[in-house]
Amino acid sequence: MPIRIQPYATEHEPLIQDLNRRLADGGSDWAFYKNAKPRWLPEGVCPNVHRTYFVAVEDGAHARAGYCLKFETFLLEGEPVEMASLQGPVSEGLVDPAQGMLAFRLFRDMEDRAQRIFAWGASHRVLGLMERLKWRQFRMPLQVKVLRSRKFMSEARLLRRSPRMGRLLDLLAASGLGAIGLSLAQFGLQALAGTPSGKAVISERVQAFGDWADEIWQACRGQYRLIALRDAATLNALLPHDGWPHATILKVTQGDDVVGWAAVRRKEFIDDARFGTQNVGLVVDALAKPGFETSVAREAMRFLKRDGVDVIVSNFTHPTWRRALAAAGFFSISERRSLVLSPGFMSALKSDD
């Protein structure tokens, strides 16, 4: 029977429920969104960013797969371009070999809809498919600030790559040597960076982004070759005060001058594949006037520390922010996350070299 890939509509919701049931019955933990309209970033909320779902329907009677594209305006060398981040795909091919080739069609379909696509992470199976389709994979570091060393070493599964490493971490945690080593290393990173010059900065919680966020955006937008649009209107859509991702917005000031902002959140992980059982602080996003990146990173760290988290993590890729986080005592765990770029994305970057 013919399979048509199309935008997810309300009439497809019962078909997706059936797909999710078949996936669960087949032993898969994956499922697609049961509601056709995204709760976060639906179309019409903000002209600069929205999410759209697409589903593969066979003969109008059976949903076989789905994926999501988050369309967002970026500046590339100062010029606005639309790019899209991929979430998924979720395919019945996970449990039914007869649908195994559907993933190829899904990727061809998404490349027709948005040439400049990127994805953060994927399963080994999907990464293999992306490689065959000429997508480029880059292994990116994870920035980590450990606040409770013994618990981190006992629980952090992302470090326990082998039984031998697990035994070593248990020994370091029990003896206290690990806590001493981590404290010295993180203190050394901060000492090397020194204390930011000028007046001290402070941060306050705010519910929304105002004109001050536009001023920060205008001050720093030219410092990045590629950056997602981060004016106040876009930020209020991305980080609503009453919805996902339930982040706390910190406005960072020096005297009467707003110098940056950070979006942070606390999440309790239980038996997680990366963090085990810990309270993890996340630096979701941040932006600062040039020269204030370290001050903003330190304010984000201080807030989460007061919030009682065990460890703080972030996924910044730009060298300026990686240096700022190092100055706040974060160390990098290399090659912990995959950034995958479509051929169209790579072409857009090369055309501006």
Side-chain angles (χ1 to χ4, degrees), residues 74-81 83 225-227 348-349 351-352:
F74 281 70
L75 295 187
L76 176 59
E77 299 288 2
E79 296 297 321
V81 295
M83 298 185 176
R225 184 189 177 201
L226 176 67
I227 184 173
L349 293 179
S351 67
D352 286 273

Side-chain angles (χ1 to χ4, degrees), residues 4-24:
R4 182 184 172 203
I5 303 173
Q6 56 196 293
Y8 188 5
T10 303
E11 59 264 27
H12 300 134
E13 290 178 352
L15 307 185
I16 290 296
Q17 291 177 18
D18 290 340
L19 169 64
N20 290 338
R21 228 176 350 254
R22 294 194 300 273
L23 288 169

Side-chain angles (χ1 to χ4, degrees), residues 81-98:
V81 295
E82 185 180 70
M83 298 185 176
S85 60
L86 168 65
Q87 297 164 8
V90 176
S91 169
E92 195 166 357
L94 291 167
V95 298
D96 182 359

Side-chain angles (χ1 to χ4, degrees), residues 44 46-47 60 81 100 183 185 193 227 252 265 301 327:
C46 178
V81 295
S183 296
I227 184 173
V252 181
R265 64 182 295 222
M301 181 272 294

